[in-house]
Amino acid sequence: MPMAALPTTSTPTSSSALASDAAGATPPTTAAFSPLYSQIKALILQSLQSGEWKPGEVIPSEMDLAARYRVSQGTVRKAIDELAIDHLVVRRQGKGTFVATHAEQHVQFRFLKLVPDSGTPGSGGPAQRQVIDCRRTRATADVARALALRTGDAVLQARRVLSFAGTPTILEDIWLPAAPFKGLTAERLANHVGPMYALFETEFNVRMVRAEEKIRAEPAIDGREQLLKVEHGTPLLSVERIAYTYQNVPMELRRGYYRTDTHHYHNTLN
Amino acid sequence: MPMAALPTTSTPTSSSALASDAAGATPPTTAAFSPLYSQIKALILQSLQSGEWKPGEVIPSEMDLAARYRVSQGTVRKAIDELAIDHLVVRRQGKGTFVATHAEQHVQFRFLKLVPDSGTPGSGGPAQRQVIDCRRTRATADVARALALRTGDAVLQARRVLSFAGTPTILEDIWLPAAPFKGLTAERLANHVGPMYALFETEFNVRMVRAEEKIRAEPAIDGREQLLKVEHGTPLLSVERIAYTYQNVPMELRRGYYRTDTHHYHNTLN
DNA sequence: CAGTGGTCTAGACCACACT
DNA sequence: GTGTGGTCTAGACCACTGC
């Protein structure tokens, strides 16, 4: 009576598309148990990916989703809980659950951990952005590896400088796979307002969901000293970021060079 | 009939010691609602702090705690869930819930984010540790501020080098408030095995629970170049960490200098 | 086998936002 | 008031660990 699972009613374990080892070989081995709420989470995730609900919009209420998937409200709740932890949705009591977006004020620059030495992250006003270059090229071996492409595949490359209070502080080289970002030009990059990741959402339907960073200390060389207006050899924070969309698909490689004389990279360890 | 809260039965909102604005002034203002599970969490936290259950030990089962606090198992569960997210306890299905400790193999170096460029975090064997110095001094202004002390208060200061595969890679200056760490000597620091934070737990009953790091790029100067065997002025990653115990009480200031020629600081953004 | 954490349900009620 | 997320309960059953 309870425990109906998906469109096709069956036992909870073997119902959804999660049974990845249902091939031929070992019949009674470890069955890879997946709880119901986890399957529901996957289904909601599909709807998120497919664009059934777009960034900023409300998704159906917990009761509606419970009816839709034929499970209890508590099970849907636990699924949404995890999506909220992953920052894929945002809950607002009394209003509903919304698809997360990079365009909101209080989550802007979610992935930028460089903060001024004194004052709150947003103090000193917003950054001035200056796009120096944006061109179509071919992926070198390391860029291809980072973006899960093949060497020589088409990529878009951009370079920009972010300044705070008139001081150039961040130099970024950005590589994007050309296919999903067809039509992106230097003008569109330079003219849009708000975070770059918000532009990606609205214009190219690409949502950055997670990122990994590798941080090193490197001297300012190769012209970076001029762009950041520091002396040749000044230590800079080198931040290599790979940003991922859904399904852990890499969609951006970004090499940032941060001046750390008035700012620092802030991290919390739990 | 349900909803008895603490020792003194009453309505859930006004029961526990969380009502911080119950003084005299405004009677019907915002009541600072605190859910039951949150109060239970605070109570469990107290037992954790007071040492009723020690690191590595099991805490009572969810059913036992539910009986103890006169709430349902689900409410205790939600409280423990949050403690598990904070890494204060660890759940083990079928066995129980355990007080977290820094001494376990798979959580060692939980706060060290420097990893080799190739290979897993633990590859290349464990680090060789060399304690260079450990002395009792007085807090300078900045050290005092970081540790919530007063300038001139007694502190312990230590310096050590961590090497990987024979290469000195990390130089750390560490400041500890003298009072909680009475009796800590260079020998005890040098001779113990395992993470320093595990020593703090077992010997001084101090558990590091959370930390904040400020990261900068700085040249190797002031003798640090000799200790790390790099050329004068080589860019180093400067990592200033303040580690906190319960109640957000700072208990350690650590200034680390990392070579990033074979390692990098790794961070995941969600 | 019993004991523990983990899942799921159904129903009640509370806090919050909009209308 | 209505609808939404948020809390709490009581009870059932499942998965894992150890005796």
Side-chain angles (χ1 to χ4, degrees):
Chain A
M1 169 261 281
M3 197 150 290
L6 285 332
T8 60
T9 302
S10 62
T11 59
T13 301
S14 59
S15 53
S16 81
L18 292 171
S20 56
D21 58 346
T26 58
T29 35
T30 52
F33 167 72
S34 169
L36 230 198
Y37 71 80
S38 185
Q39 302 175 34
I40 303 300
K41 179 185 176 185
L43 290 174
I44 297 176
L45 235 170
Q46 274 183 23
S47 295
L48 249 21
Q49 274 181 80
S50 73
E52 179 174 343
W53 313 307
K54 301 216 172 299
E57 291 181 4
V58 268
I59 72 173
S61 74
E62 295 179 353
M63 288 304 265
D64 287 355
L65 290 172
R68 168 166 169 173
Y69 298 126
R70 310 287 212 73
V71 297
S72 77
Q73 184 250 15
T75 300
V76 169
R77 183 168 186 75
K78 179 135 189 177
I80 294 180
D81 274 346
E82 296 202 348
L83 293 169
I85 288 173
D86 296 340
H87 298 119
L88 294 175
V89 299
V90 175
R91 319 183 83 123
R92 284 199 235 284
Q93 181 171 156
K95 300 175 80 172
T97 301
F98 297 76
V99 182
T101 167
H102 285 269
E104 295 180 30
Q105 280 296 72
H106 64 288
V107 268
Q108 273 186 344
F109 309 116
R110 207 178 92 198
F111 289 172
L112 180 59
K113 312 267 289 182
L114 194 74
V115 299
D117 285 342
S118 54
T120 52
S123 71
Q128 302 93 273
R129 289 162 301 186
Q130 182 187 1
V131 177
I132 293 177
D133 188 28
C134 180
R135 63 158 64 100
R136 188 187 174 88
T137 55
R138 306 216 155 264
T140 57
D142 58 331
V143 170
R145 184 160 26 81
L147 293 178
L149 302 174
R150 292 204 241 185
T151 303
D153 281 357
V155 293
L156 297 169
Q157 180 175 358
R159 167 170 275 200
R160 67 168 181 174
V161 172
L162 301 189
S163 299
F164 298 96
T167 304
T169 306
I170 299 179
L171 167 63
E172 287 180 321
D173 286 312
I174 301 169
W175 289 266
L176 303 167
F181 292 95
K182 202 181 240 314
L184 182 59
T185 61
E187 290 74 43
R188 296 182 79 173
L189 261 186
N191 292 337
H192 95 284
V193 293
M196 191 180 294
Y197 289 166
L199 176 78
F200 293 170
E201 280 178 6
T202 55
E203 300 295 311
F204 304 98
N205 198 33
V206 172
R207 299 196 43 224
M208 301 304 186
V209 151
R210 194 178 66 80
E212 306 259 349
E213 291 189 335
K214 295 182 181 182
I215 305 169
R216 294 183 178 81
E218 289 183 9
I221 54 174
D222 292 345
R224 299 194 271 269
E225 67 272 40
Q226 278 91 1
L227 290 166
L228 289 174
K229 294 183 183 165
V230 296
E231 290 197 1
H232 180 86
T234 302
L236 298 176
L237 215 54
S238 153
V239 180
E240 176 176 300
R241 177 195 300 170
I242 301 178
Y244 298 85
T245 2
Y246 296 109
Q247 315 275 37
N248 283 326
V249 176
M251 280 304 244
E252 183 201 55
L253 168 64
R254 186 182 291 215
R255 294 214 175 101
Y257 299 92
Y258 299 174
R259 282 179 60 171
T260 56
D261 43 354
T262 60
H263 290 65
H264 62 270
Y265 186 104
H266 183 269
N267 200 19
T268 300
L269 311 178
N270 286 315
Chain B
M1 171 261 280
M3 194 149 294
L6 283 333
T8 60
T9 301
S10 62
T11 59
T13 301
S14 60
S15 52
S16 81
L18 293 170
S20 56
D21 58 347
T26 57
T29 36
T30 52
F33 167 72
S34 169
L36 230 198
Y37 71 81
S38 185
Q39 301 175 34
I40 302 301
K41 179 185 176 185
L43 290 174
I44 297 177
L45 235 170
Q46 274 184 23
S47 295
L48 248 22
Q49 274 181 81
S50 73
E52 179 176 342
W53 313 307
K54 301 216 172 296
E57 290 181 6
V58 269
I59 72 173
S61 74
E62 295 179 352
M63 289 305 263
D64 287 355
L65 290 172
R68 170 166 168 175
Y69 298 126
R70 309 289 212 72
V71 298
S72 78
Q73 184 250 16
T75 300
V76 169
R77 183 167 186 76
K78 179 135 187 175
I80 295 180
D81 275 345
E82 296 202 349
L83 293 170
I85 288 172
D86 296 340
H87 298 119
L88 294 174
V89 298
V90 175
R91 296 173 165 287
R92 284 198 236 284
Q93 180 171 155
K95 300 174 79 170
T97 301
F98 297 76
V99 183
T101 168
H102 284 270
E104 294 181 30
Q105 280 296 75
H106 64 288
V107 269
Q108 274 188 344
F109 308 117
R110 207 178 93 196
F111 289 172
L112 179 59
K113 312 267 289 182
L114 194 74
V115 299
D117 285 341
S118 55
T120 53
S123 71
Q128 301 93 275
R129 289 161 301 187
Q130 183 189 1
V131 178
I132 294 175
D133 188 29
C134 181
R135 62 157 65 98
R136 187 187 176 87
T137 55
R138 306 217 154 262
T140 57
D142 57 333
V143 169
R145 183 159 26 83
L147 294 178
L149 302 173
R150 293 205 240 185
T151 304
D153 281 357
V155 294
L156 297 170
Q157 180 174 358
R159 167 170 276 201
R160 68 167 180 175
V161 172
L162 302 189
S163 300
F164 297 96
T167 304
T169 307
I170 299 178
L171 166 63
E172 287 180 320
D173 286 312
I174 301 170
W175 289 265
L176 303 167
F181 292 96
K182 204 181 238 317
L184 181 60
T185 62
E187 290 74 43
R188 295 183 80 175
L189 262 187
N191 293 337
H192 95 283
V193 293
M196 191 181 291
Y197 289 166
L199 176 78
F200 292 170
E201 281 179 6
T202 55
E203 300 294 311
F204 303 98
N205 197 33
V206 172
R207 300 197 41 225
M208 300 305 185
V209 150
R210 193 178 66 80
E212 306 259 348
E213 291 189 334
K214 295 182 181 181
I215 305 170
R216 292 183 179 81
E218 290 183 8
I221 55 173
D222 292 346
R224 299 194 272 269
E225 65 272 40
Q226 279 91 0
L227 290 166
L228 289 174
K229 293 183 183 166
V230 294
E231 291 197 359
H232 179 86
T234 302
L236 297 176
L237 216 55
S238 154
V239 180
E240 176 176 299
R241 178 196 300 170
I242 301 178
Y244 299 84
T245 2
Y246 297 109
Q247 315 276 37
N248 283 327
V249 176
M251 281 302 246
E252 182 200 56
L253 169 64
R254 187 181 289 217
R255 294 214 174 104
Y257 300 91
Y258 300 174
R259 282 178 61 170
T260 55
D261 43 353
T262 60
H263 290 64
H264 62 269
Y265 186 103
H266 183 269
N267 200 18
T268 299
L269 312 178
N270 287 314

